[in-house]
Short mmCIF file of all heavy atoms in Angstrom, two decimals:
data_model
loop_
_atom_site.label_atom_id
_atom_site.label_comp_id
_atom_site.label_asym_id
_atom_site.label_seq_id
_atom_site.Cartn_x
_atom_site.Cartn_y
_atom_site.Cartn_z
N MET A 198 109.86 125.76 100.16
CA MET A 198 110.20 127.10 99.72
C MET A 198 111.24 126.99 98.71
O MET A 198 112.41 126.76 98.99
CB MET A 198 110.63 127.85 100.96
CG MET A 198 110.72 129.39 100.76
SD MET A 198 111.47 130.24 102.18
CE MET A 198 110.09 130.36 103.20
N PRO A 199 111.05 127.50 97.58
CA PRO A 199 112.03 127.47 96.49
C PRO A 199 113.02 128.45 96.65
O PRO A 199 112.74 129.58 97.11
CB PRO A 199 111.20 127.49 95.18
CG PRO A 199 109.99 128.20 95.58
CD PRO A 199 109.64 127.91 97.01
N GLU A 200 114.17 128.22 96.17
CA GLU A 200 115.26 129.26 96.20
C GLU A 200 115.75 129.58 94.92
O GLU A 200 115.76 128.68 93.93
CB GLU A 200 116.44 128.70 96.99
CG GLU A 200 117.67 129.72 97.10
CD GLU A 200 118.88 129.05 97.69
OE1 GLU A 200 119.23 127.92 97.41
OE2 GLU A 200 119.59 129.70 98.48
N LYS A 201 116.02 130.85 94.62
CA LYS A 201 116.30 131.24 93.27
C LYS A 201 117.52 132.20 93.38
O LYS A 201 117.50 133.22 94.10
CB LYS A 201 115.11 132.03 92.67
CG LYS A 201 115.24 132.12 91.16
CD LYS A 201 113.98 132.80 90.70
CE LYS A 201 113.92 132.89 89.16
NZ LYS A 201 112.74 133.51 88.69
N ILE A 202 118.52 131.79 92.71
CA ILE A 202 119.74 132.71 92.69
C ILE A 202 120.00 133.16 91.28
O ILE A 202 120.22 132.44 90.36
CB ILE A 202 120.96 131.82 93.10
CG1 ILE A 202 120.77 131.30 94.62
CG2 ILE A 202 122.25 132.68 93.10
CD1 ILE A 202 121.92 130.44 95.19
N ILE A 203 119.85 134.55 91.23
CA ILE A 203 120.05 135.18 89.90
C ILE A 203 121.17 136.23 89.93
O ILE A 203 121.52 136.77 90.85
CB ILE A 203 118.63 135.77 89.52
CG1 ILE A 203 118.33 136.91 90.42
CG2 ILE A 203 117.63 134.78 89.23
CD1 ILE A 203 117.13 137.79 89.93
N CYS A 204 121.56 136.48 88.80
CA CYS A 204 122.69 137.52 88.54
C CYS A 204 122.01 138.80 88.87
O CYS A 204 121.04 139.15 88.39
CB CYS A 204 123.15 137.49 87.08
SG CYS A 204 124.40 138.75 86.71
N GLY A 205 122.77 139.63 89.78
CA GLY A 205 122.24 140.91 90.09
C GLY A 205 122.44 141.99 89.01
O GLY A 205 121.80 143.02 89.08
N ARG A 206 123.01 141.54 87.95
CA ARG A 206 123.30 142.47 86.90
C ARG A 206 122.28 142.25 85.71
O ARG A 206 121.64 143.02 85.18
CB ARG A 206 124.65 142.33 86.38
CG ARG A 206 125.16 143.54 85.56
CD ARG A 206 126.66 143.38 85.33
NE ARG A 206 127.16 144.42 84.51
CZ ARG A 206 128.50 144.40 84.02
NH1 ARG A 206 129.20 143.23 84.20
NH2 ARG A 206 128.91 145.38 83.33
N CYS A 207 122.26 140.89 85.26
CA CYS A 207 121.49 140.73 84.03
C CYS A 207 120.31 139.70 84.33
O CYS A 207 119.39 139.61 83.44
CB CYS A 207 122.32 140.06 82.90
SG CYS A 207 122.77 138.24 83.26
N GLY A 208 120.23 139.19 85.47
CA GLY A 208 119.15 138.38 85.89
C GLY A 208 119.06 136.96 85.37
O GLY A 208 118.17 136.23 85.49
N PHE A 209 120.36 136.52 84.89
CA PHE A 209 120.51 135.16 84.69
C PHE A 209 120.31 134.35 85.78
O PHE A 209 120.76 134.59 86.95
CB PHE A 209 121.96 134.93 84.16
CG PHE A 209 122.35 133.62 83.82
CD1 PHE A 209 121.97 133.06 82.49
CD2 PHE A 209 123.01 132.71 84.68
CE1 PHE A 209 122.30 131.71 82.16
CE2 PHE A 209 123.40 131.35 84.33
CZ PHE A 209 122.99 130.87 83.20
N VAL A 210 119.56 133.25 85.60
CA VAL A 210 119.27 132.33 86.70
C VAL A 210 120.20 131.19 86.89
O VAL A 210 120.45 130.34 86.07
CB VAL A 210 117.82 131.65 86.49
CG1 VAL A 210 117.48 130.77 87.73
CG2 VAL A 210 116.68 132.72 86.35
N PHE A 211 120.98 131.33 87.98
CA PHE A 211 122.00 130.43 88.34
C PHE A 211 121.48 129.20 88.92
O PHE A 211 121.86 128.06 88.60
CB PHE A 211 123.06 130.95 89.26
CG PHE A 211 123.84 132.01 88.70
CD1 PHE A 211 123.58 133.39 89.06
CD2 PHE A 211 124.96 131.93 87.71
CE1 PHE A 211 124.34 134.44 88.56
CE2 PHE A 211 125.57 132.91 87.24
CZ PHE A 211 125.30 134.28 87.72
N TYR A 212 120.51 129.36 89.70
CA TYR A 212 119.99 128.22 90.36
C TYR A 212 118.55 128.43 90.80
O TYR A 212 118.18 129.56 91.25
CB TYR A 212 120.75 127.79 91.65
CG TYR A 212 120.15 126.72 92.51
CD1 TYR A 212 120.23 125.42 92.06
CD2 TYR A 212 119.34 127.03 93.52
CE1 TYR A 212 119.68 124.40 92.86
CE2 TYR A 212 118.72 126.00 94.25
CZ TYR A 212 118.87 124.71 93.93
OH TYR A 212 118.32 123.73 94.62
N GLU A 213 117.63 127.45 90.61
CA GLU A 213 116.31 127.52 91.02
C GLU A 213 115.93 126.16 91.55
O GLU A 213 116.05 125.15 90.70
CB GLU A 213 115.51 127.91 89.87
CG GLU A 213 113.99 128.32 90.29
CD GLU A 213 113.23 128.90 89.21
OE1 GLU A 213 113.64 128.90 88.01
OE2 GLU A 213 112.12 129.42 89.46
N GLY A 214 115.49 126.04 92.66
CA GLY A 214 115.04 124.70 93.17
C GLY A 214 114.69 124.74 94.61
O GLY A 214 114.68 125.75 95.19
N HIS A 215 114.31 123.53 95.19
CA HIS A 215 113.84 123.50 96.45
C HIS A 215 114.78 123.29 97.61
O HIS A 215 114.56 123.37 98.62
CB HIS A 215 112.68 122.39 96.55
CG HIS A 215 111.43 122.89 95.86
ND1 HIS A 215 110.40 123.47 96.43
CD2 HIS A 215 111.01 122.78 94.58
CE1 HIS A 215 109.50 123.75 95.64
NE2 HIS A 215 109.87 123.34 94.42
N ASP A 216 116.02 122.96 97.10
CA ASP A 216 117.13 122.83 97.96
C ASP A 216 117.81 124.07 98.17
O ASP A 216 117.94 124.81 97.39
CB ASP A 216 118.17 121.88 97.46
CG ASP A 216 117.56 120.45 97.24
OD1 ASP A 216 116.71 120.09 98.10
OD2 ASP A 216 117.78 119.75 96.22
N LEU A 217 118.03 124.33 99.57
CA LEU A 217 118.80 125.58 99.85
C LEU A 217 120.25 125.42 99.62
O LEU A 217 120.92 124.75 100.36
CB LEU A 217 118.55 125.94 101.27
CG LEU A 217 117.06 126.41 101.56
CD1 LEU A 217 116.93 126.70 103.08
CD2 LEU A 217 116.60 127.60 100.79
N VAL A 218 120.69 126.08 98.58
CA VAL A 218 122.11 125.98 98.23
C VAL A 218 122.79 127.24 98.57
O VAL A 218 122.34 128.37 98.17
CB VAL A 218 122.31 125.66 96.70
CG1 VAL A 218 123.84 125.47 96.34
CG2 VAL A 218 121.57 124.33 96.35
N PRO A 219 124.00 127.21 99.33
CA PRO A 219 124.61 128.36 99.60
C PRO A 219 125.21 129.03 98.34
O PRO A 219 125.64 128.48 97.42
CB PRO A 219 125.80 127.99 100.51
CG PRO A 219 125.77 126.49 100.58
CD PRO A 219 124.49 125.93 99.90
N PRO A 220 125.07 130.43 98.18
CA PRO A 220 125.50 131.13 97.01
C PRO A 220 126.86 130.94 96.64
O PRO A 220 127.28 130.98 95.52
CB PRO A 220 125.18 132.62 97.37
CG PRO A 220 124.89 132.62 98.85
CD PRO A 220 124.48 131.39 99.33
N GLU A 221 127.78 130.62 97.60
CA GLU A 221 129.19 130.47 97.28
C GLU A 221 129.41 129.23 96.48
O GLU A 221 130.23 129.04 95.58
CB GLU A 221 130.03 130.39 98.60
CG GLU A 221 129.40 129.85 99.66
CD GLU A 221 130.18 130.01 101.00
OE1 GLU A 221 131.46 129.58 101.06
OE2 GLU A 221 129.59 130.40 101.92
N VAL A 222 128.53 128.18 96.74
CA VAL A 222 128.63 126.96 96.02
C VAL A 222 128.30 127.19 94.51
O VAL A 222 128.84 126.73 93.59
CB VAL A 222 127.63 125.87 96.61
CG1 VAL A 222 127.52 124.68 95.71
CG2 VAL A 222 128.19 125.45 97.99
N ILE A 223 127.21 127.99 94.30
CA ILE A 223 126.75 128.38 93.07
C ILE A 223 127.81 129.22 92.23
O ILE A 223 128.09 128.82 91.20
CB ILE A 223 125.37 129.19 93.11
CG1 ILE A 223 124.35 128.36 93.80
CG2 ILE A 223 124.92 129.52 91.61
CD1 ILE A 223 123.90 127.13 93.24
N ALA A 224 128.32 130.18 92.87
CA ALA A 224 129.40 131.05 92.38
C ALA A 224 130.61 130.20 91.95
O ALA A 224 131.13 130.32 90.84
CB ALA A 224 129.78 131.97 93.38
N LYS A 225 130.92 129.22 92.73
CA LYS A 225 132.09 128.37 92.49
C LYS A 225 131.83 127.45 91.34
O LYS A 225 132.63 127.30 90.35
CB LYS A 225 132.41 127.52 93.71
CG LYS A 225 133.74 126.85 93.73
CD LYS A 225 134.04 126.05 95.00
CE LYS A 225 135.32 125.40 94.98
NZ LYS A 225 135.62 124.70 96.19
N LYS A 226 130.51 126.97 91.20
CA LYS A 226 130.14 126.12 90.08
C LYS A 226 130.17 126.94 88.72
O LYS A 226 130.55 126.32 87.74
CB LYS A 226 128.68 125.74 90.44
CG LYS A 226 128.18 124.54 89.56
CD LYS A 226 126.73 124.19 90.06
CE LYS A 226 126.01 123.37 88.91
NZ LYS A 226 124.67 123.18 89.29
N TYR A 227 129.98 128.16 88.79
CA TYR A 227 130.01 128.98 87.66
C TYR A 227 131.31 129.68 87.39
O TYR A 227 131.42 130.62 86.69
CB TYR A 227 128.78 130.01 87.55
CG TYR A 227 127.59 129.33 87.17
CD1 TYR A 227 126.72 128.87 88.12
CD2 TYR A 227 127.16 129.27 85.82
CE1 TYR A 227 125.47 128.21 87.73
CE2 TYR A 227 125.95 128.64 85.47
CZ TYR A 227 125.23 128.13 86.40
OH TYR A 227 124.00 127.53 86.18
N ASP A 228 132.38 129.33 88.27
CA ASP A 228 133.76 129.81 88.18
C ASP A 228 133.72 131.27 88.52
O ASP A 228 134.39 132.00 87.83
CB ASP A 228 134.33 129.47 86.76
CG ASP A 228 135.74 129.26 86.81
OD1 ASP A 228 136.25 129.03 87.87
OD2 ASP A 228 136.35 129.31 85.77
N TYR A 229 132.87 131.71 89.33
CA TYR A 229 132.77 133.06 89.84
C TYR A 229 132.51 134.00 88.64
O TYR A 229 133.00 135.03 88.74
CB TYR A 229 134.00 133.47 90.64
CG TYR A 229 134.15 132.52 91.94
CD1 TYR A 229 134.90 131.36 91.90
CD2 TYR A 229 133.47 132.88 93.07
CE1 TYR A 229 135.01 130.60 92.99
CE2 TYR A 229 133.50 132.18 94.18
CZ TYR A 229 134.32 130.91 94.23
OH TYR A 229 134.48 130.22 95.29
N ARG A 230 131.73 133.70 87.67
CA ARG A 230 131.56 134.54 86.56
C ARG A 230 130.20 134.23 86.00
O ARG A 230 129.81 133.07 85.73
CB ARG A 230 132.60 134.37 85.44
CG ARG A 230 132.52 135.41 84.44
CD ARG A 230 133.77 135.28 83.64
NE ARG A 230 135.00 135.78 84.28
CZ ARG A 230 135.27 137.07 84.25
NH1 ARG A 230 134.64 137.98 83.51
NH2 ARG A 230 136.31 137.56 84.94
N CYS A 231 129.42 135.22 85.60
CA CYS A 231 128.13 134.96 85.05
C CYS A 231 128.35 134.59 83.62
O CYS A 231 128.97 135.38 82.77
CB CYS A 231 127.30 136.23 85.05
SG CYS A 231 125.64 136.14 84.16
N PRO A 232 127.80 133.53 83.13
CA PRO A 232 127.95 133.11 81.73
C PRO A 232 127.34 134.00 80.69
O PRO A 232 127.73 134.05 79.57
CB PRO A 232 127.40 131.64 81.72
CG PRO A 232 126.46 131.65 82.88
CD PRO A 232 126.96 132.62 83.94
N ARG A 233 126.31 134.81 81.09
CA ARG A 233 125.69 135.66 80.21
C ARG A 233 126.33 136.94 80.05
O ARG A 233 126.64 137.48 78.89
CB ARG A 233 124.18 135.78 80.51
CG ARG A 233 123.45 136.41 79.51
CD ARG A 233 121.99 136.95 80.05
NE ARG A 233 121.06 135.87 79.97
CZ ARG A 233 119.80 135.93 80.54
NH1 ARG A 233 119.57 137.03 81.22
NH2 ARG A 233 118.95 134.97 80.41
N CYS A 234 126.64 137.61 81.20
CA CYS A 234 127.03 138.96 81.06
C CYS A 234 128.52 139.11 81.49
O CYS A 234 129.05 140.17 81.57
CB CYS A 234 126.18 139.96 81.91
SG CYS A 234 126.24 139.79 83.64
N SER A 235 129.11 138.03 81.78
CA SER A 235 130.50 138.02 82.23
C SER A 235 130.80 138.82 83.51
O SER A 235 132.00 139.09 83.88
CB SER A 235 131.46 138.44 81.02
OG SER A 235 131.37 137.57 79.99
N SER A 236 129.83 139.15 84.27
CA SER A 236 129.94 139.83 85.44
C SER A 236 130.56 138.88 86.48
O SER A 236 130.07 137.76 86.69
CB SER A 236 128.53 140.37 85.89
OG SER A 236 128.69 140.94 87.15
N PRO A 237 131.54 139.34 87.19
CA PRO A 237 132.23 138.49 88.24
C PRO A 237 131.25 138.34 89.42
O PRO A 237 130.61 139.22 89.76
CB PRO A 237 133.48 139.29 88.59
CG PRO A 237 133.23 140.64 88.18
CD PRO A 237 132.30 140.61 87.05
N LEU A 238 131.23 137.10 89.82
CA LEU A 238 130.26 136.83 90.95
C LEU A 238 131.07 137.04 92.27
O LEU A 238 132.01 136.36 92.54
CB LEU A 238 129.81 135.46 90.83
CG LEU A 238 129.01 134.96 89.56
CD1 LEU A 238 128.67 133.62 89.63
CD2 LEU A 238 127.71 135.93 89.60
N LYS A 239 130.70 138.05 92.91
CA LYS A 239 131.36 138.25 94.33
C LYS A 239 130.36 138.00 95.42
O LYS A 239 129.23 138.38 95.30
CB LYS A 239 131.89 139.80 94.33
CG LYS A 239 132.90 140.00 93.35
CD LYS A 239 133.40 141.45 93.49
CE LYS A 239 134.31 141.81 92.31
NZ LYS A 239 134.38 143.30 92.12
N LEU A 240 130.91 137.61 96.47
CA LEU A 240 130.08 137.32 97.66
C LEU A 240 130.10 138.51 98.70
O LEU A 240 129.21 138.70 99.38
CB LEU A 240 130.50 136.03 98.35
CG LEU A 240 130.42 134.82 97.45
CD1 LEU A 240 131.05 133.58 98.08
CD2 LEU A 240 128.92 134.46 97.08
N LYS A 241 131.21 139.23 98.55
CA LYS A 241 131.31 140.45 99.37
C LYS A 241 131.78 141.61 98.54
O LYS A 241 133.01 141.57 98.31
CB LYS A 241 132.19 140.15 100.49
CG LYS A 241 131.61 139.30 101.58
CD LYS A 241 132.70 138.90 102.66
CE LYS A 241 132.11 137.81 103.49
NZ LYS A 241 133.09 137.34 104.59
N PRO A 242 131.05 142.54 98.00
CA PRO A 242 129.65 142.54 98.38
C PRO A 242 128.91 141.52 97.39
O PRO A 242 129.45 141.17 96.32
CB PRO A 242 129.17 143.97 98.07
CG PRO A 242 130.14 144.40 96.98
CD PRO A 242 131.50 143.66 97.29
N LEU A 243 127.74 141.17 97.83
CA LEU A 243 127.03 140.14 97.03
C LEU A 243 126.45 140.74 95.71
O LEU A 243 125.73 141.62 95.72
CB LEU A 243 125.87 139.60 97.88
CG LEU A 243 125.26 138.24 97.51
CD1 LEU A 243 126.20 137.06 97.53
CD2 LEU A 243 124.07 137.98 98.21
N THR A 244 126.95 140.01 94.52
CA THR A 244 126.51 140.68 93.31
C THR A 244 125.41 139.67 92.69
O THR A 244 125.11 139.80 91.61
CB THR A 244 127.73 140.79 92.28
OG1 THR A 244 128.40 139.58 92.31
CG2 THR A 244 128.51 141.86 92.79
N ILE A 245 125.00 138.68 93.52
CA ILE A 245 123.92 137.82 93.00
C ILE A 245 122.67 138.00 93.97
O ILE A 245 122.88 138.21 95.08
CB ILE A 245 124.42 136.32 92.87
CG1 ILE A 245 125.09 135.79 94.04
CG2 ILE A 245 125.25 136.17 91.67
CD1 ILE A 245 125.45 134.33 94.06
N LYS A 246 121.60 137.88 93.37
CA LYS A 246 120.38 137.95 94.11
C LYS A 246 119.79 136.58 94.60
O LYS A 246 119.84 135.61 93.75
CB LYS A 246 119.38 138.65 93.39
CG LYS A 246 119.45 140.19 93.32
CD LYS A 246 118.15 140.62 92.61
CE LYS A 246 118.29 142.12 92.24
NZ LYS A 246 117.08 142.46 91.47
N ILE A 247 119.37 136.51 95.76
CA ILE A 247 118.81 135.27 96.26
C ILE A 247 117.33 135.54 96.50
O ILE A 247 116.90 136.54 97.41
CB ILE A 247 119.39 134.75 97.47
CG1 ILE A 247 120.93 134.54 97.22
CG2 ILE A 247 118.83 133.56 97.96
CD1 ILE A 247 121.76 134.43 98.49
N GLU A 248 116.51 134.82 95.92
CA GLU A 248 114.99 135.06 96.04
C GLU A 248 114.39 133.87 96.68
O GLU A 248 114.61 132.77 96.27
CB GLU A 248 114.31 135.36 94.74
CG GLU A 248 114.69 136.85 94.24
CD GLU A 248 114.01 137.00 92.90
OE1 GLU A 248 113.22 136.11 92.47
OE2 GLU A 248 114.16 138.10 92.34
N LEU A 249 113.75 134.07 97.80
CA LEU A 249 112.99 133.03 98.48
C LEU A 249 111.51 133.37 98.39
O LEU A 249 111.03 134.45 98.61
CB LEU A 249 113.47 132.84 99.93
CG LEU A 249 114.96 132.42 100.14
CD1 LEU A 249 115.25 132.57 101.57
CD2 LEU A 249 115.05 131.01 99.69
N GLY A 250 110.76 132.36 97.92
CA GLY A 250 109.32 132.67 97.75
C GLY A 250 108.50 131.37 98.07
O GLY A 250 109.08 130.33 97.90
N SER A 251 107.33 131.63 98.49
CA SER A 251 106.58 130.48 98.67
C SER A 251 105.95 129.93 97.40
O SER A 251 105.27 130.90 96.61
CB SER A 251 105.34 130.73 99.73
OG SER A 251 104.70 131.81 99.26
N ASN A 252 106.01 128.77 97.09
CA ASN A 252 105.60 128.20 95.74
C ASN A 252 104.43 127.14 96.17
O ASN A 252 104.81 125.97 96.52
CB ASN A 252 106.75 127.54 94.99
CG ASN A 252 106.18 127.21 93.61
OD1 ASN A 252 105.09 127.51 93.20
ND2 ASN A 252 107.01 126.38 92.97
N LYS A 253 103.19 127.65 96.14
CA LYS A 253 102.16 126.62 96.54
C LYS A 253 101.77 125.82 95.28
O LYS A 253 101.19 126.41 94.43
CB LYS A 253 100.99 127.53 97.14
CG LYS A 253 101.34 127.98 98.55
CD LYS A 253 100.31 128.89 99.17
CE LYS A 253 100.68 129.63 100.25
NZ LYS A 253 99.71 130.66 100.66
N ARG A 254 101.98 124.51 95.52
CA ARG A 254 101.73 123.66 94.45
C ARG A 254 100.66 122.66 94.92
O ARG A 254 100.61 122.21 95.98
CB ARG A 254 102.87 122.93 93.89
CG ARG A 254 103.58 123.73 92.82
CD ARG A 254 104.51 122.89 92.06
NE ARG A 254 105.83 122.68 92.62
CZ ARG A 254 106.75 121.92 92.15
NH1 ARG A 254 106.59 121.21 91.07
NH2 ARG A 254 107.94 121.87 92.69
N ARG A 255 99.69 122.31 94.00
CA ARG A 255 98.77 121.35 94.55
C ARG A 255 99.06 120.08 93.83
O ARG A 255 99.39 119.94 92.66
CB ARG A 255 97.34 121.85 94.00
CG ARG A 255 96.89 122.89 94.96
CD ARG A 255 95.48 123.41 94.39
NE ARG A 255 95.40 124.78 94.82
CZ ARG A 255 94.37 125.52 94.35
NH1 ARG A 255 93.46 125.07 93.62
NH2 ARG A 255 94.38 126.81 94.63
ZN1 ZN B 755 124.78 138.32 84.58
#
């Protein structure tokens, strides 16, 4: 199940992959700021979106 963490404001993709990475790790990696829209990444309230979806690959 792939995980996708995107900016809740502009949709910038911070992380996309099959490993489940906690959003705080991602936020820290980007210095708590979105590189595209400069929106601060807050965890409370959460300003980033986490999408989990089934990715069926053959
Ligand atoms: Zn953004």
Side-chain angles (χ1 to χ4, degrees):
M198 190 188 283
E200 183 189 35
K201 198 175 182 182
I202 298 177
I203 61 172
C204 176
R206 199 177 181 189
C207 72
F209 177 82
V210 179
F211 293 105
Y212 174 80
E213 189 174 13
H215 287 268
D216 298 318
L217 292 178
V218 181
E221 41 191 300
V222 172
I223 302 299
K225 197 176 180 182
K226 194 175 162 187
Y227 282 91
D228 216 12
Y229 298 93
R230 189 169 286 273
C231 173
R233 190 193 273 171
C234 70
S235 297
S236 171
L238 302 178
K239 289 176 193 166
L240 299 171
K241 288 174 187 177
L243 194 68
T244 53
I245 50 179
K246 275 189 191 172
I247 303 164
E248 289 179 359
L249 294 170
S251 57
N252 187 13
K253 288 174 187 171
R254 273 198 274 176
R255 284 175 213 172

